[in-house]
Amino acid sequence: MNGRKKYWVFALVCSFLVFSAVTFNGTTAESAEYTWSFAQPWTRPLTDAVFTKFCERVKEYSGGRIEVNFFPSGQLGGHDENFHAMQEGSLEIGVFSPYPTLIPGGCVPNMTWIIVNWDEMRLAYRQPDGILYSVMKDAFEDVEGHLLFACSQGAYGLGNNKRPIRTTDDFTNLKLRVSASPGGVKTLANMGKGKGLILETVPWGELYNALSRGVVDGCWTMWASLVEERHCEVLKYYSDLNFIWDSTYVVMNKELWDSLPDDLKEAVRKASLEAEAELLDTQQKAEKRFIEQLKERKDFTITWLTPEERDALRLASDMGPMWEELCGKWLEERYPGKDMVNVIPAELEKIHKEVLAKEAQK
């Protein structure tokens, strides 16, 4: 090869390397008008895979104008730190739990019996008019956030080492671990009223040891925690009350959202809806795998409640006064004169009956 040909080959290779260095998915990094960070404070491989796809979809649907970098496992700090960063705009997107100390409207999804299965979840958080989606969208707007989509790991039931739980009598003389969640604590207290039920506050990180040493007889937990956090090793019975629904939310800074042109809002919205649907499907499939694993354990018994048994416990929970006590103030301030403290439970009850009717027809 003569000198001139060598030069052109070298120049071509260099050009290719430079082009490759600044190109991703067919668009150059220089073409991105927006570069955002998306923080996940926890380590959750299943959801992280979907969040990664969400970032890729935003880039694709925006024609490369938005680049979202995903930071899992608390790389950008803890939950509260990320939340305050999102509020002030130094973090564009994050995953957040509805802690009322940070989000006053978070009192609503922290109520018990609002959702008992995945079909109810889909209806309650349906965009744009699902009752819980609408309320939580407003709740995050109050704290400078824009709700993109909701995500969940499913429902909490009750595990214990004494007996299966089907009725209020089964709470007799149980000592159950609770957290500082007022709705959950009051619900258990009402279901076990007059039965000698004792409630103990134990940090979640100490729960395994507390169960293994008999400090408490049981706790509220969920399918994923039974397997991944090994609660099944220190519990004998699990009843699928489904009285608490796990909920977290992917939220971006509101000022940033409001500043976006309509076509980019639509790109993010489309990616959000697809991520939400995929997350629901992913978590539901994972739940089925967890259940099959637990069924194989000879030292672990799953108790499946009938709809009638679950509704009887729901009635014993006496949720009406709790809605006023725990959510009434925020709801009246946010929706003056609209009686949302009664409207929301009524809409959720309507969804509950609608899903029950469909299940009965199967």
Side-chain angles (χ1 to χ4, degrees):
M1 185 180 294
N2 61 38
R4 181 175 292 275
K5 287 184 178 179
K6 287 182 180 179
Y7 170 81
W8 285 113
V9 170
F10 177 76
L12 182 61
V13 170
C14 288
S15 297
F16 175 79
L17 291 174
V18 171
F19 178 77
S20 299
V22 298
T23 302
F24 179 74
N25 285 347
T27 60
T28 65
E30 293 176 353
S31 68
E33 297 177 31
Y34 301 88
T35 302
W36 300 343
S37 294
F38 178 177
Q40 157 73 292
W42 306 290
T43 300
R44 293 179 178 173
L46 287 176
T47 55
D48 289 352
V50 178
F51 292 156
T52 299
K53 288 184 181 178
F54 164 77
C55 297
E56 294 169 354
R57 286 168 175 152
V58 169
K59 181 167 187 174
E60 177 186 351
Y61 299 153
S62 69
R65 294 167 64 191
I66 302 175
E67 183 90 38
V68 185
N69 299 307
F70 180 54
F71 296 90
S73 304
Q75 291 180 26
L76 297 185
H79 178 278
D80 291 12
E81 183 180 359
N82 288 344
F83 178 79
H84 294 306
M86 181 280 296
Q87 276 189 305
E88 69 181 20
S90 58
L91 173 69
E92 288 79 17
I93 303 176
V95 189
F96 305 111
S97 284
Y99 301 139
T101 51
L102 297 174
I103 308 118
C107 59
V108 174
N110 275 312
M111 297 297 287
T112 55
W113 300 111
I114 59 171
I115 297 172
V116 299
N117 58 44
W118 294 99
D119 289 335
E120 292 185 17
M121 162 81 180
R122 286 178 169 83
L123 292 174
Y125 281 102
R126 178 183 55 206
Q127 298 193 34
D129 57 357
I131 184 63
L132 292 183
Y133 172 80
S134 300
V135 170
M136 290 311 295
K137 183 174 182 292
D138 291 342
F140 277 106
E141 283 185 354
D142 287 351
V143 292
E144 308 306 322
H146 173 77
L147 175 60
L148 295 178
F149 57 95
C151 39
S152 172
Q153 293 189 100
Y156 283 80
L158 282 178
N160 80 96
N161 288 310
K162 296 293 185 180
R163 64 185 74 90
I165 295 177
R166 289 186 178 277
T167 70
T168 55
D169 287 337
D170 296 324
F171 287 93
T172 300
N173 297 329
L174 284 181
K175 184 186 290 187
L176 298 179
R177 175 268 177 190
V178 295
S179 69
S181 173
V185 172
K186 290 176 182 293
T187 295
L188 285 182
N190 286 345
M191 288 192 290
K193 188 175 182 179
K195 307 296 182 182
L197 173 67
I198 298 173
L199 303 177
E200 296 279 354
T201 301
V202 176
W204 185 261
E206 299 174 15
L207 181 53
Y208 183 97
N209 288 334
L211 289 166
S212 67
R213 292 185 286 111
V215 175
V216 291
D217 299 319
C219 61
W220 62 55
T221 186
M222 58 197 308
W223 300 110
S225 298
L226 285 166
V227 175
E228 295 183 328
E229 299 182 59
R230 299 165 38 228
H231 289 174
C232 64
E233 298 176 356
V234 287
L235 290 170
K236 295 179 181 178
Y237 306 99
Y238 182 75
S239 298
D240 70 330
L241 271 69
N242 297 1
F243 73 117
I244 299 174
W245 191 264
D246 174 75
S247 58
T248 54
Y249 305 90
V250 175
V251 178
M252 72 179 293
N253 176 266
K254 185 178 184 299
E255 184 177 357
L256 173 60
W257 171 262
D258 290 343
S259 72
L260 293 177
D262 289 345
D263 59 335
L264 292 186
K265 285 182 179 178
E266 183 56 35
V268 176
R269 189 180 293 115
K270 181 180 178 182
S272 298
L273 289 171
E274 291 179 7
E276 182 177 58
E278 187 172 353
L279 271 172
L280 284 170
D281 184 58
T282 297
Q283 295 290 5
Q284 212 169 348
K285 288 179 179 177
E287 182 179 278
K288 290 178 181 178
R289 291 197 303 271
F290 294 142
I291 291 171
E292 291 305 313
Q293 291 179 48
L294 291 166
K295 283 181 177 178
E296 294 175 1
R297 295 186 65 96
K298 295 181 180 179
D299 58 347
F300 188 79
T301 301
I302 301 173
T303 299
W304 303 100
L305 274 69
T306 66
E308 292 76 18
E309 289 172 330
R310 189 177 288 111
D311 281 349
L313 290 173
R314 189 177 184 174
L315 182 64
S317 299
D318 193 20
M319 290 300 299
M322 274 189 260
W323 274 96
E324 181 61 48
E325 178 185 354
L326 300 176
C327 300
K329 181 179 179 181
W330 179 79
L331 288 172
E332 183 55 31
E333 289 176 353
R334 189 62 176 79
Y335 308 99
K338 294 188 178 181
D339 194 29
M340 292 293 278
V341 74
N342 290 308
V343 169
I344 296 172
E347 181 64 24
L348 291 170
E349 182 66 18
K350 179 181 176 182
I351 289 172
H352 179 63
K353 290 180 178 179
E354 179 182 337
V355 171
L356 278 178
K358 288 182 179 178
E359 289 178 349
Q361 293 174 359
K362 293 180 180 178

